[in-house]
Amino acid sequence: MSDIEESAKAVQEVSKVAGKTVDGVRDLASFIGKFVPTEEVAGIIRDRFQYFRYVGQIKLIQKAEAMWQQAGILTLKPIPLKLAIPYLEAAALEDDDSLQDKWAALLVNAANPAKSVDLSRSYIAILEEITPFEAALLDKIYGFPFDSIQHNGIWTAELPDRAIAGNEKEEEPAQVKDKNPSELVVLGLANLKRLGCIQTASTWGGGENFKRILPTVLGKHFVAACTM
């Protein structure tokens, strides 16, 4: 049996174990039972939760296997169990296709001995807490070489369609003159700031200014880790 086949089998076995972990589901059923005192309702919730988690794990494994085969990765480095379990539990609940791709890419990059990507709890936490829209914002922001935007930043007025790189003089480009990002973009950027993926400048009064943002080292490495 090849290394890839052995690794695939190991991932499948771990996913089976994670799929049988129902302590959290029992807690949820117990909580709901306080309001709807029927064992049948709790049972339905538990069964459906386990089913969707199982389906999510299968999709994740299929995506990851396709990625590492397409990349021509011949050997895989092991993922520590203390990270593999929370990763599988979190990734299995993702139902958005674009974010599933990022979960799968994170696993493959972390298992690729040719890359210096480690599967960290911070990456898992960020992927759990961003929306597809916010992930798209990150892709736009970090579509530029990090060195070119590290100090000059990104103008956000035309996001999500495009990001505009800043300049050394910190002058507003003509495209964003007197324009501000939409409320939806601001809310997305606010969450990305909370997660440490971007930084914002402050207004004279000390408030947040989302018109121009700066990348972070964490954001840079997170996006790279989740991109094939």
Side-chain angles (χ1 to χ4, degrees):
M1 183 181 293
S2 68
D3 289 340
I4 288 180
E5 290 173 334
E6 289 181 355
S7 298
K9 183 177 180 181
V11 171
Q12 289 173 345
E13 291 302 318
V14 171
S15 72
K16 290 178 183 178
V17 174
K20 294 177 182 177
T21 304
V22 297
D23 290 343
V25 181
R26 291 196 183 108
D27 292 340
L28 176 61
S30 176
F31 175 78
I32 293 177
K34 296 176 181 178
F35 302 92
V36 185
T38 54
E39 294 182 4
E40 290 78 6
V41 172
I44 290 172
I45 293 172
R46 181 174 61 250
D47 292 343
R48 289 197 175 187
F49 190 86
Q50 288 180 292
Y51 170 75
F52 285 121
R53 171 175 282 181
Y54 175 74
V55 170
Q57 288 167 346
I58 294 301
K59 291 179 67 176
L60 174 69
I61 291 169
Q62 291 173 340
K63 283 177 178 284
E65 186 174 11
M67 285 181 181
W68 80 54
Q69 289 183 348
Q70 185 175 5
I73 302 172
L74 300 179
T75 58
L76 299 172
K77 64 183 180 183
I79 303 295
L81 192 61
K82 68 177 182 179
L83 295 175
I85 295 300
Y87 167 87
L88 285 167
E89 290 182 338
L93 297 178
E94 181 56 62
D95 59 0
D96 179 81
D97 194 60
S98 63
L99 287 181
Q100 286 175 350
D101 288 342
K102 293 188 180 298
W103 280 107
L106 175 59
L107 178 63
V108 174
N109 285 330
N112 185 353
K115 294 208 171 191
S116 58
V117 174
D118 291 322
L119 180 61
S120 72
R121 287 188 179 273
S122 61
Y123 294 166
I124 295 172
I126 293 171
L127 263 180
E128 278 189 294
E129 296 192 38
I130 63 173
T131 66
F133 180 76
E134 292 161 359
L137 292 180
L138 279 179
D139 288 340
K140 294 288 186 182
I141 292 168
Y142 288 95
F144 297 93
F146 184 76
D147 292 344
S148 70
I149 61 172
Q150 184 176 10
H151 303 293
N152 300 327
I154 291 289
W155 296 95
T156 64
E158 295 199 352
L159 286 172
D161 295 331
R162 65 171 180 153
I164 299 175
N167 53 64
E168 292 182 0
K169 296 180 180 179
E170 298 188 4
E171 296 176 349
E172 279 187 298
Q175 307 98 300
V176 301
K177 201 74 172 177
D178 301 322
K179 291 175 63 177
N180 290 300
S182 68
E183 184 176 0
L184 181 61
V185 168
V186 169
L187 286 172
L189 294 175
N191 189 44
L192 294 176
K193 177 185 178 181
R194 178 183 70 85
L195 295 169
C197 294
I198 63 168
Q199 295 180 31
T200 61
S202 298
T203 64
W204 286 108
E208 294 176 303
N209 182 4
F210 289 98
K211 190 169 184 177
R212 178 172 168 268
I213 59 93
L214 293 170
T216 65
V217 172
L218 175 60
K220 166 193 172 182
H221 285 283
F222 168 72
V223 171
C226 298
T227 304
M228 287 299 296

